[in-house]
Amino acid sequence: TGIIYALLAAFLFTSSVFITKQLQVDLLDALPLRFIVQSLLIFVYMKCIQKTTFYSTTTLRTKLLLLANLFYAVTGFLSFFIGYRYIPLPDLTTIRYSQVIWIAIFAAIIYRERPSIPTVFAMCLTLIGVVLVAQPKFDFQSERLIGLIIALYCSIAMSIMFIANKLLITKYQIKHGVIILQYTFVSFIIVSIHLIYTRWNRFESLLHWNYLYASLACLLQIISTELIQLSVKLEHPSIFTIVQSSEILFSILLQNLFSPIKSNLSSLIGSIVVLTSICIISISKFINEKQVRT
């Protein structure tokens, strides 16, 4: 069941991003509805059902970690949507999922763990895969280079966010709902400011069916987020990571079936190599944890 939830979450998220692009609506313009609805749903659930107290005394270290987590969560996720302006979705998604390797590197530094042979091998594969996807031409004025840099930042930022999340939840006992609420509400403020700033003199362009459809498509991301939470609860983290990386496959399928832009052979091979590296490192962690338990 956890695997089915993760697959469905990956498909819904990728589809919503792809549909918005095909409707020729900028993703940042379509996101305000998603973030305000999600913020309200989380707030009502935590306040009325979980009876959560949002204002609790925390140490300065916890507050700084919350702030850092919020910064990297917001900038990481929004940079993913911005990156889609410049590079195709399969390339963007592939580079984003190199975050699995960044997480392994950062965790090794923070927890002073010695990287295993499978991890080192997976890192090398990821580097090869990203280079095959990026196909660098060292044209520093190209939009593709801008998109690749944004995608790389997205990957690193989300890796830092993942580790900060884990510390906040396990070590400092911060509720996950509080972290998500902070992210969605701040994201709503940022995308709303962006929308007003870019459209203040042509606001009538938002009174279009395409904008409405794109905003509704982005609501699918709320369902995707909930399915991810259910999957994490039901499935082993390593298995979940492998299944969630199916976003790469979904993005390749959607683009090559429904878009005039087709993936070239180098991008396809690079995506497969990155998927392989994700499987190697996740299965390695799964086996190690099984051995520790037994």
Side-chain angles (χ1 to χ4, degrees):
T1 306
I3 290 174
I4 293 173
Y5 286 155
L7 280 172
L8 187 55
F11 177 73
L12 289 176
F13 179 82
T14 307
S15 298
S16 70
V17 175
F18 181 79
I19 290 170
T20 303
K21 182 75 169 184
Q22 295 307 301
L23 290 169
Q24 298 182 341
V25 175
D26 188 277
L27 273 161
L28 293 188
D29 290 347
L31 284 171
L33 181 63
R34 173 247 163 131
F35 282 128
I36 189 60
V37 170
Q38 190 172 6
S39 298
L40 290 172
L41 289 174
I42 296 172
F43 180 81
V44 170
Y45 174 77
M46 296 187 68
K47 194 70 177 177
C48 300
I49 298 176
Q50 289 194 336
K51 308 294 183 183
T52 302
T53 302
F54 292 100
Y55 303 99
S56 58
T57 56
T58 55
T59 63
L60 178 61
R61 178 178 294 182
T62 308
K63 291 177 180 178
L64 290 175
L65 190 58
L66 275 168
L67 185 62
N69 179 76
L70 179 63
F71 173 80
Y72 286 111
V74 172
T75 58
F77 277 100
L78 293 185
S79 63
F80 177 83
F81 300 123
I82 295 171
Y84 195 18
R85 296 175 179 175
Y86 303 100
I87 57 177
L89 186 57
D91 297 357
L92 175 65
T93 307
T94 299
I95 295 175
R96 171 199 164 182
Y97 270 97
S98 66
Q99 73 186 69
V100 175
I101 305 304
W102 292 110
I103 290 171
I105 294 173
F106 293 145
I109 295 172
I110 293 172
Y111 298 109
R112 297 179 182 178
E113 297 175 352
R114 190 175 179 179
S116 62
I117 293 175
T119 300
V120 174
F121 180 61
M123 289 177 184
C124 294
L125 277 181
T126 299
L127 179 61
I128 294 170
V130 168
V131 170
L132 286 170
V133 169
Q135 302 165 43
K137 296 179 181 178
F138 304 104
D139 180 2
F140 294 99
Q141 294 182 340
S142 70
E143 288 193 350
R144 182 169 178 80
L145 179 62
I146 296 172
L148 293 172
I149 292 172
I150 293 173
L152 183 61
Y153 172 78
C154 170
S155 177
I156 295 173
M158 292 177 71
S159 304
I160 298 172
M161 177 209 70
F162 180 87
I163 294 174
N165 253 307
K166 186 175 181 180
L167 287 171
L168 286 167
I169 294 170
T170 58
K171 186 175 181 179
Y172 298 102
Q173 305 301 311
I174 303 296
K175 288 185 178 295
H176 188 252
V178 173
I179 297 172
I180 296 295
L181 181 60
Q182 289 180 339
Y183 154 69
T184 54
F185 185 68
V186 172
S187 296
F188 166 70
I189 293 174
I190 291 175
V191 294
S192 297
I193 292 173
H194 172 270
L195 184 65
I196 294 170
Y197 177 76
T198 57
R199 302 278 182 171
W200 70 272
N201 60 342
R202 48 192 179 95
F203 223 74
E204 69 281 355
S205 62
L206 299 178
L207 303 176
H208 193 277
W209 285 111
N210 278 14
Y211 177 76
L212 174 61
Y213 295 147
S215 297
L216 293 175
C218 286
L219 291 180
L220 294 174
Q221 296 173 20
I222 300 176
I223 303 173
S224 174
T225 302
E226 184 58 32
L227 289 171
I228 287 173
Q229 302 308 315
L230 292 172
S231 179
V232 168
K233 291 178 183 178
L234 293 170
E235 197 52 73
H236 189 279
S238 295
I239 304 301
F240 166 77
T241 302
I242 295 173
V243 178
Q244 194 185 30
S245 64
S246 62
E247 284 185 18
I248 297 174
L249 298 177
F250 287 134
S251 63
I252 291 173
L253 287 172
L254 287 170
Q255 174 172 291
N256 288 278
L257 288 174
F258 303 107
S259 169
I261 302 173
K262 309 300 179 185
S263 301
N264 59 33
L265 183 60
S266 178
S267 291
L268 290 174
I269 294 174
S271 297
I272 293 170
V273 169
V274 171
L275 274 171
T276 303
S277 69
I278 293 170
C279 291
I280 289 172
I281 197 169
S282 299
I283 292 172
S284 173
K285 286 180 177 292
F286 179 77
I287 293 172
N288 288 339
E289 290 184 19
K290 283 286 187 181
Q291 290 175 345
V292 169
R293 289 177 184 177
T294 54

